[in-house]
Amino acid sequence: MLTVDFSRFPLAPGDRVLDLGCGAGRHAFECYRRGAQVVALDQNGDEIREVAKWFAAMKEAGEAPAGASATAMEGDALALPFPDDSFDVVIISEVMEHIPDDKGVLAEMVRVLRPGGRIAVTVPRYGPEKICWALSDAYHEVEGGHIRIYRGDELLGKMREAGLEPYGTHHAHGLHSPYWWLKCAFGVDNDKALPVQAYHKLLVWDIMKKPLATRLAERALNPVIGKSFVVYATKPHLPEAPAADGAGAAAEAPEPAARPAARARKAATSATKASAKSSAKSTAGAAK
């Protein structure tokens, strides 16, 4: 189940992609299938080891095209172990709501993204998430749980402050909001409640079979109760530095300098001619 819509966020074979806070690896796997050079990074060692196994299995099964590569590694989102401008694409999906220093994470992502590169950020949507918090404290008051609910304009503002230029947004997973409301109402850890079980079967059917009925329903529900808010942005190119004063002057000097010299030569020639004429008249007068 992908939250990033790759029809709105195109990926080219060979793109260097960082899936930051990759979790179980769903977006990293899709990027690998599309021929990217993928780094899946997460602080959870168990999940990273599982993602690495799936990368190996995909390679063995020939699911990734020639030239694609995939690496799974542990790391800290606030101190990424990569040089500046290392990636063409960065994806961070359902992660920023967990991290106290979200501005620090944005700064690190911008640092490792090359100028002209693209970034996709997804977070829980304000309305559906607010209902979950109202129904259950256990939904978010857990270690590593959600510590904030983003309003759309708040996230966009923070991304702009970090130096990014958002170019598109949408909502996703409209079918999933009611499932989480049921989970919160009957108990986040209570998977045996009949309404929760029934709705879970619906979601599995949708994910596995992708029937037209659920696809149409999700498309209609996304703008209203979509569980996730998705933002796409670019890192602008740096403006070209102006030429150094000395270099600019040197480049422009030949033509302006040539003009005064030409004028000087012309003035000298005129003076010589005037002097010659004056001498000739004086000589003629003396002869008379």
Side-chain angles (χ1 to χ4, degrees):
M1 180 186 72
L2 298 174
T3 307
V4 172
D5 182 351
F6 285 95
S7 68
R8 308 182 194 213
F9 189 67
L11 196 69
D15 275 352
R16 300 162 296 166
V17 178
L18 172 63
D19 185 2
L20 181 56
C22 64
R26 57 200 173 104
H27 288 106
F29 299 149
E30 181 64 20
C31 293
Y32 189 30
R33 289 188 187 98
R34 291 172 178 262
Q37 298 174 12
V38 184
V39 175
L41 185 143
D42 201 286
Q43 66 177 1
N44 188 316
D46 291 337
E47 288 195 313
I48 282 298
R49 284 185 284 276
E50 195 65 24
V51 169
K53 290 178 183 177
W54 278 104
F55 278 151
M58 291 173 67
K59 182 177 182 180
E60 183 70 21
E63 289 189 39
S69 64
T71 302
M73 61 185 295
E74 288 185 58
D76 182 355
L78 290 166
L80 295 174
F82 311 111
D84 296 356
D85 308 337
S86 295
F87 295 96
D88 303 300
V89 172
V90 175
I91 296 171
I92 183 166
S93 182
E94 311 300 301
V95 173
M96 288 180 56
E97 66 276 11
H98 296 270
I99 301 175
D101 186 7
D102 57 347
K103 290 185 177 181
V105 173
L106 279 168
E108 272 295 87
M109 289 190 292
V110 171
R111 180 184 68 78
V112 301
L113 184 65
R114 68 164 176 81
R118 289 159 290 119
I119 187 169
V121 179
T122 89
V123 297
R125 185 182 186 177
Y126 183 84
E129 184 77 350
K130 195 76 173 176
I131 294 172
C132 288
W133 283 44
L135 290 171
S136 171
D137 291 336
Y139 170 79
H140 65 96
E141 290 182 356
V142 295
E143 184 179 356
H146 299 183
I147 64 170
R148 71 172 64 82
I149 306 176
Y150 286 100
R151 291 186 181 275
D153 56 356
E154 176 193 1
L155 179 60
L156 288 166
K158 288 186 176 183
M159 291 176 68
R160 291 188 180 102
E161 286 176 12
L164 295 167
E165 294 182 352
Y167 67 84
T169 67
H170 65 89
H171 298 99
H173 309 317
L175 284 175
H176 288 251
S177 289
Y179 172 72
W180 282 103
W181 297 339
L182 289 170
K183 288 272 286 180
C184 290
F186 286 93
V188 174
D189 298 321
N190 181 12
D191 293 328
K192 294 182 179 180
L194 290 179
V196 174
Q197 288 184 341
Y199 205 101
H200 184 263
K201 288 180 181 178
L202 170 68
L203 293 181
V204 171
W205 179 56
D206 171 56
I207 292 169
M208 299 302 294
K209 302 296 184 180
K210 295 181 173 58
L212 179 61
T214 57
R215 280 186 284 140
L216 291 175
E218 178 132 298
R219 190 178 303 169
L221 290 172
N222 279 342
V224 183
I225 58 169
K227 183 76 170 65
S228 295
F229 177 55
V230 188
V231 182
Y232 305 112
T234 59
K235 177 179 176 179
H237 289 279
L238 295 175
E240 292 186 8
D245 291 343
E252 296 178 359
E255 186 174 353
R259 289 173 183 166
R263 285 196 294 268
R265 285 194 298 271
K266 186 175 181 181
T269 302
S270 299
T272 302
K273 288 180 178 179
S275 175
K277 287 180 180 179
S278 177
S279 298
K281 287 181 180 178
S282 299
T283 305
K288 288 178 180 180

